[in-house]
Amino acid sequence: MIHNIAHRGASAYEPENTLRAFERAIELGATMLELDVHLSQDGHPVVIHDADLSRTTDGIGRVAVLSLAQIKRFDAGLGEQVPALIEVIELARGRAQLYIELKGQDTSEPVVKTLREAAFLDQVVVGSFFPWLPQKVKFLEPAILTSVLIRGEDRQADFIAWALAVEADYVHLCWENVSPTPHKLLTPAMIAGIRQHGLGVLLWHEERPAELHELVQLDVDGICTGTPDLLSDMLQKN
Ligand code: G3P
Ligand code: CA
């Protein structure tokens, strides 16, 4: 089965990383919700992509210097608030899994604590572009599946070794911008080579129908997208 991973929720249709976007994603067929996490000043994992509020809310300032209550005063689009991680867990419980991308350097331990307290350890993948963050997650809680995100610039590097070095379960290839046709960079032989090392394969966020059509034919474990309805249709036809 290929996971239909809603990238920041159904972000093509709703304000990214909001409860509204996650609810819509489930309605449109997502089986996993991708979200980004930073830590608030008072230690809560909060769901926002940037370290600063200004791009996605009507506020300004760094997430790390504001309390959760202060962050929640701002509008994240269409009247939505920036959610705490626990709110997304409760929205998803029994309906979808979560793919938690650690953005803030101090997020590993608070995210593990939140997942433990919520009894949600077996319903997530936790990943990052910073391999030492999922490494810490795996050290703290070996039951949590983890991933290492690989930038397009690093596609020639030995990213399999990077993932193995931190005991990750998946490589997540983020190659959406490195070619007009990124699926051509990912050959079946390359996927087989990754799998030989016991690693799963997750793919970048893709919304172009022609590219999605190619990706669903590959032996991968999940594809990120802002258009989970489109991906859902293609997975059903495939
Ligand atoms: O494709 C995964 C993606 O979430 C990584 O990049 O910038 O959307 O967090 P970004
Ligand atoms: Ca992300």
Side-chain angles (χ1 to χ4, degrees), residues 7-8 34-36 49 101 103 149:
H7 180 240
R8 312 181 197 173
E34 192 267 355
L35 56 90
D36 305 286
H49 184 276
E101 186 190 343
K103 292 289 195 193
L149 278 63

Side-chain angles (χ1 to χ4, degrees), residues 7-8 34 36 49 99 101 103 129 149 172-174 176 203-205 224:
H7 180 240
R8 312 181 197 173
E34 192 267 355
D36 305 286
H49 184 276
Y99 185 13
E101 186 190 343
K103 292 289 195 193
F129 284 110
L149 278 63
H172 175 175
L173 311 177
C174 299
E176 65 273 7
L203 297 186
W204 56 86
H205 69 92
C224 293

Side-chain angles (χ1 to χ4, degrees), residues 22-24 26-27 30-33 89-97 120 123:
F22 296 125
E23 183 65 40
R24 183 86 182 272
I26 294 173
E27 287 166 14
T31 57
M32 192 174 246
L33 309 175
I89 291 172
E90 294 310 339
L91 181 147
R93 195 183 290 280
R95 304 164 75 203
Q97 297 189 4
F120 211 70
Q123 297 297 309

